[in-house]
């Protein structure tokens, strides 16, 4: 029995509709297992630009800091694409990650049995199943480095910097090794140490941390090779750790081989296990407000919240089992629809999951 305060950030596009379904799921879990979840909604992203003139209002950061966890839908949309870089909705995401020091981003890519047909890989390649945990560094590297523009003899030039300090690498390495220990004890480090100095330091630190984890099998892939191996033989990877930018790219690739980006949750954690939880997909403005989006990635993000921030493993499992049962029943939103299945909308999918939570 416990009380939890959750800051919710519905954001833009399909964000609000998937957050609504997820709140219902958490409330049902609370009722069944005797917890109280108090939700406080705050603004971020395009809607914050429209309503208060900035993508990430200070009060949003304050409310998040005072909460036990943050649940985020999605931010962004065409409407704001014309704004300068520091005024775009995406700044809200980067700002939240930086302000809340959420350096560890966990992005599980799991191929559900019921969705095997949606996997774009040849059946024999995916036959052994796919269950990869991508651990992406989230507050360093090029997305947070110095950038700028200058004049050169070749015309105007623009630059971004990739930089990693030892402690930044060490803490994400520890997150990855600890996760590997709870899973199959296999960690793959992904970098570009054949070219980048920042990657060479990255790898040195990974190797140093590895000394404390003799029970974990560690291997290394260059990012280009990793992008290839993940579709050549996805079953041979378990936990993968990498930089902010490489993790951004690799996690989209991993999500696609599981059939739909609409299915995948994520957790972004600080050193104390405080976290922001969000689907890895975006705001999908093309289908927003039409009852077509898939709420499962956000619902599964709430399950990760229960597991990683609140230590409620049983409750997290209850959500995951309900999702599996709904998929097995043949219900599908448009993004995961296939022949012979039953097409449902966002609200119906939410209701079906809710009904199966025990
Ligand atoms: C993600 C997104 C963000 C990122 C964008 C929207 C800033 O692609 O969460 O993967 O690059 O981190
Ligand atoms: Mg991305």
């Amino acid at each position: 029995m416990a009380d939890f305060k959750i800051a919710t950030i519905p954001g833009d596009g399909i964000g609000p509709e998937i957050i609504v379904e997820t709140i219902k799921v958490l409330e049902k879990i609370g009722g069944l297992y005797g917890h109280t979840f108090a939700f406080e909604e705050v603004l971020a992203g395009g809607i914050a630009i429209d309503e208060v003139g900035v993508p990430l209002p200070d009060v949003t950061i304050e409310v998040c800091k005072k909460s036990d966890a943050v649940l985020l839908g999605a931010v962004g949309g065409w409407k704001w694409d014309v704004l300068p870089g520091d005024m775009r909705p995406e700044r809200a995401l980067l700002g939240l990650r930086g302000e809340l020091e959420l350096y560890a981003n966990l992005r599980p890519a799991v191929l559900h049995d019921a969705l095997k047909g949606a996997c774009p890989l040849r059946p024999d390649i995916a036959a052994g199943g796919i269950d990869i945990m991508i651990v992406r560094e989230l507050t360093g590297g090029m997305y947070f480095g110095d950038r700028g523009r200058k004049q050169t003899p070749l015309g105007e030039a623009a630059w971004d910097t990739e930089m990693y300090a030892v402690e930044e690498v060490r803490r994400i390495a520890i997150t990855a090794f600890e996760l590997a220990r709870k899973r199959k004890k296999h960690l793959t480090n992904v970098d570009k140490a054949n070219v980048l100095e920042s990657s060479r330091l990255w790898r040195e630190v990974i190797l140093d941390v590895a000394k404390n984890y003799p029970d974990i099998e560690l291997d290394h892939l260059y990012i280009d090779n990793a992008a290839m191996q993940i579709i050549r033989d996805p079953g041979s990877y378990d936990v993968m750790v990498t930089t902010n930018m490489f993790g951004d790219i690799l996690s989209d690739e991993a999500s696609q081989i599981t059939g739909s980006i609409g299915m995948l949750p994520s957790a972004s954690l600080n050193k104390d296990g405080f976290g922001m939880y969000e689907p890895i997909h975006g705001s999908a403005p093309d289908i927003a407000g039409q009852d077509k989006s898939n709420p499962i990635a956000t619902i599964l993000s709430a399950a990760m919240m229960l597991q990683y921030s609140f230590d409620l493993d049983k409750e997290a499992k209850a959500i995951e089992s309900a999702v599996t049962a709904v998929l097995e029943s043949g219900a599908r939103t448009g993004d995961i629809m296939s022949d012979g299945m039953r097409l449902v909308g966002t609200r119906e999918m939410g209701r079906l999951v809710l009904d199966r939570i025990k």
Side-chain angles (χ1 to χ4, degrees):
M1 274 262 240
D3 288 347
F4 301 100
K5 206 165 159 281
I6 300 172
T8 61
I9 307 181
D12 309 315
I14 60 171
E17 62 201 62
I18 55 186
I19 289 288
V20 165
E21 299 309 320
T22 305
I23 288 177
K24 288 186 213 158
V25 165
L26 283 169
E27 281 175 338
K28 173 136 187 203
I29 288 284
L32 286 174
Y33 292 84
H35 310 297
T36 315
F37 299 110
F39 300 96
E40 182 165 359
E41 189 176 311
V42 283
L43 292 174
I47 185 172
I49 297 174
D50 288 353
E51 293 197 8
V52 295
V54 287
L56 183 58
D58 289 342
V59 44
T60 294
I61 299 169
E62 278 159 37
V63 170
C64 290
K65 282 187 177 163
K66 277 191 277 173
S67 302
D68 299 308
V70 182
L71 180 68
L72 182 139
V75 298
W78 311 305
K79 186 178 164 193
W80 305 281
D81 277 351
V82 289
L83 295 172
D86 58 348
M87 275 300 289
R88 292 177 57 120
E90 289 79 0
R91 276 304 315 161
L93 266 188
L94 294 167
L96 281 164
R97 292 169 182 172
E99 287 286 338
L100 304 173
E101 298 175 62
L102 308 172
Y103 64 83
N105 185 209
L106 314 187
R107 298 191 160 187
V110 178
L111 177 59
H112 290 259
D113 275 344
L115 292 183
K116 279 208 161 131
C119 172
L121 299 179
R122 229 170 47 216
D124 60 302
I125 294 179
I130 301 174
D131 184 357
I132 301 174
M133 175 68 88
I134 295 190
V135 180
R136 169 188 178 193
E137 199 291 325
L138 203 60
T139 53
M142 207 179 310
Y143 293 15
F144 283 83
D146 276 347
R147 60 179 58 118
R149 294 195 177 208
K150 61 182 176 192
Q151 289 305 325
T152 73
L154 296 175
E156 187 182 15
W159 49 277
D160 302 271
T161 329
E162 176 83 352
M163 181 163 95
Y164 270 109
V166 169
E167 283 314 312
E168 281 179 297
V169 187
R170 188 180 303 283
R171 62 190 185 183
I172 193 73
I174 291 170
T175 303
F177 276 106
E178 289 292 331
L179 270 169
R181 196 168 254 174
K182 292 195 195 120
R183 293 171 51 110
K184 293 188 196 136
K185 297 189 166 24
H186 175 202
L187 176 64
T188 303
N189 167 49
V190 178
D191 61 32
K192 188 73 185 176
N194 52 345
V195 177
L196 302 177
E197 195 56 31
S198 54
S199 274
R200 283 191 273 272
L201 177 91
W202 175 280
R203 190 176 291 206
E204 280 163 33
V205 177
I206 297 276
L207 287 168
D208 191 46
V209 174
K211 291 178 194 149
N212 298 327
Y213 295 89
D215 52 322
I216 308 294
E217 179 195 343
L218 172 68
D219 44 36
H220 306 269
L221 289 177
Y222 298 136
I223 177 65
D224 47 349
N225 189 18
M228 187 166 77
Q229 298 304 334
I230 224 173
I231 53 171
R232 196 188 65 84
D233 187 15
S236 59
Y237 298 95
D238 188 43
V239 181
M240 303 181 96
V241 63
T242 191
T243 63
N244 200 341
M245 183 169 65
F246 295 159
D248 187 20
I249 300 167
L250 211 57
S251 60
D252 268 25
E253 188 191 15
S255 75
Q256 198 50 46
I257 61 177
T258 67
S260 168
I261 196 163
M263 291 290 303
L264 299 188
S266 78
S268 307
L269 306 173
N270 78 1
K271 64 177 185 350
D272 306 314
F274 170 86
M276 179 162 85
Y277 297 82
E278 56 174 313
I280 86 161
H281 61 69
S283 59
D286 53 326
I287 58 165
Q290 300 170 38
D291 197 35
K292 285 185 178 163
S293 60
N294 185 351
I296 292 180
T298 316
I299 291 172
L300 290 174
S301 299
M304 288 188 89
M305 174 189 292
L306 299 181
Q307 182 185 353
Y308 289 98
S309 285
F310 301 162
D311 256 332
L312 300 176
D313 286 359
K314 219 177 24 265
E315 291 82 341
K317 282 272 167 341
I319 296 180
E320 287 165 5
S321 306
V323 167
T324 304
V326 172
L327 294 174
E328 279 165 1
S329 78
R332 299 283 187 272
T333 42
D335 58 311
I336 48 175
M337 184 59 189
S338 60
D339 284 354
M341 300 295 138
R342 188 165 65 86
L343 185 65
V344 302
T346 313
R347 286 193 289 270
E348 174 72 354
M349 185 55 103
R351 194 186 62 74
L352 290 169
V353 174
L354 208 62
D355 282 353
R356 284 172 175 74
I357 289 179
K358 290 197 271 294

